[in-house]
Amino acid sequence: MAVHAHPDDESSKGAATTAKYAAEGNDVLVVTLTGGERGDVLNPAMDIPGVKERMPEIRKEEMAKAAAALGVEQMWLGFVDSGLPEGDPLPPVPEGSFADIPIDDAIEALVRVVRTFRPHVMITYDEHGGYPHPDHIRDHDVSMAAYQLAGDPEAFPDAGEPWVVQKLYYTHGFIRDRMVLFSDEFEKNGQESPFAEWLSKWDPSRGDIMGRVTTQVEVSDYFPQRDEALRAHATQIDPNGMFFAVPLEWQKRLWPTEEFELARTRVPTALPETDLFAGVVAEGLDPESVKS
């Protein structure tokens, strides 16, 4: 189960990995916490009359196409996009949005999904949300609580039979080392790097993400599906933008993996890993054995 804040997050963060596991016969569910209603139109070709007015409907259509491209199941949790507040000081998030509502409401909703779908592994964002969007940070908080509580019979007793999730990962996509490697390849080929400006503005205080990575999954065969899913989100993803700047041949040769951080585990495993299911017990764990 991959828990994401908005439609398109599932296609830009760990998408090839979910496509790989689905293609190998595993049940894979993307849970989209909000409808992405407050997303901007980031693809100039889609900035046309009628699009913004239909944004909620369009984003659902885009999500359906992306899920089909990845070969995964997808469900909406039904919360309202908080938008990305801007200003100094930052204004409050909109009333009634995902980052505004009582967090227990979202935790119970996700616990219900966990107990129904019964995943062995969950994927979410780190404590910074991957980037500081209020919905991403709330996604982290809700996912961590659901991981902890879904197997507890005393937590949300009306939300279904307890189910113990065995492992939880943070997905790490925007890795400086990867950008540097691709940037160097552009220079070797006498081309201007599309990442030069991005790298020049890198904040060292963000730390070394690769130092946190525990698990690299080889997924290069599924990069085309990832890209198809990205393009499905036509209001959000510019097909001429940075997501598609690096030729697939370079990506497969230079960096054929997607990166994750094992944040919680209830089963033994050896690090580093190459498989999110390493150490997983297929028949599941007894809730009584893991009560805190």
Side-chain angles (χ1 to χ4, degrees):
M1 175 187 289
V3 185
H4 288 287
H6 310 105
D8 76 59
D9 288 326
E10 85 297 324
S11 297
S12 60
K13 303 167 185 67
T17 299
T18 56
K20 166 188 164 68
Y21 285 125
E24 291 175 349
N26 300 284
D27 294 327
V28 179
L29 175 66
V30 168
V31 179
T32 312
L33 299 179
T34 81
E37 301 90 345
R38 290 189 167 94
D40 294 324
V41 178
L42 302 178
N43 176 5
M46 289 295 292
D47 193 4
I48 56 178
V51 169
K52 291 182 180 179
E53 294 78 7
R54 294 183 59 245
M55 186 65 79
E57 178 184 350
I58 289 173
R59 299 214 70 181
K60 284 181 169 58
E61 293 169 355
E62 292 174 342
M63 183 68 250
K65 292 177 183 177
L70 297 175
V72 303
E73 300 177 54
Q74 187 268 341
M75 72 169 297
W76 303 93
L77 219 57
F79 297 107
V80 177
D81 186 357
S82 304
L84 184 58
E86 295 179 327
D88 187 12
L90 288 174
V93 297
E95 184 176 354
S97 67
F98 180 55
D100 175 67
I101 63 169
I103 192 170
D104 281 355
D105 292 355
I107 293 170
E108 181 175 6
L110 187 57
V111 164
R112 190 178 298 275
V113 176
V114 170
R115 290 176 177 175
T116 300
F117 184 68
R118 298 159 66 92
H120 293 76
V121 175
M122 286 178 62
I123 300 171
T124 187
Y125 312 139
D126 69 11
E127 64 278 10
H128 304 295
Y131 80 106
H133 189 297
D135 287 341
H136 282 241
I137 295 169
R138 179 58 63 94
D139 182 313
H140 164 83
D141 295 340
V142 170
S143 297
M144 300 303 288
Y147 170 85
Q148 184 65 31
L149 297 174
D152 183 350
E154 298 178 5
F156 307 114
D158 296 328
E161 292 296 318
W163 175 257
V164 179
V165 182
Q166 297 177 39
K167 301 172 82 175
L168 181 143
Y169 289 89
Y170 300 151
T171 179
H172 289 305
F174 298 101
I175 295 174
R176 185 178 186 277
D177 290 0
R178 182 172 176 267
M179 297 300 101
V180 169
L181 191 64
F182 291 154
S183 191
D184 289 346
E185 190 71 10
F186 277 103
E187 293 180 7
K188 288 177 185 177
N189 284 270
Q191 302 176 42
E192 183 178 352
S193 169
F195 308 114
E197 182 178 359
W198 186 84
L199 289 169
S200 70
K201 296 179 179 178
W202 178 264
D203 181 359
S205 68
R206 294 176 63 179
D208 176 20
I209 293 296
M210 276 305 295
R212 298 180 56 168
V213 167
T214 62
T215 310
Q216 292 184 275
V217 183
E218 206 287 324
V219 290
S220 60
D221 287 346
Y222 301 92
F223 286 168
Q225 284 177 252
R226 173 205 63 193
D227 288 357
E228 183 181 352
L230 279 166
R231 291 188 182 96
H233 291 286
T235 59
Q236 306 298 302
I237 305 296
D238 182 352
N240 299 310
M242 287 181 58
F243 277 112
F244 308 105
V246 182
L248 278 178
E249 185 278 322
W250 293 6
Q251 295 182 52
K252 291 181 177 182
R253 172 167 51 87
L254 298 172
W255 201 289
T257 59
E258 287 183 335
E259 282 63 47
F260 301 87
E261 175 183 352
L262 180 61
R264 299 285 189 276
T265 184
R266 293 180 167 118
V267 293
T269 185
L271 302 181
E273 300 172 319
T274 59
D275 181 8
L276 301 186
F277 290 118
V280 160
V281 180
E283 61 270 23
L285 299 179
D286 180 359
E288 291 299 320
S289 71
V290 297
K291 286 182 68 175
S292 57

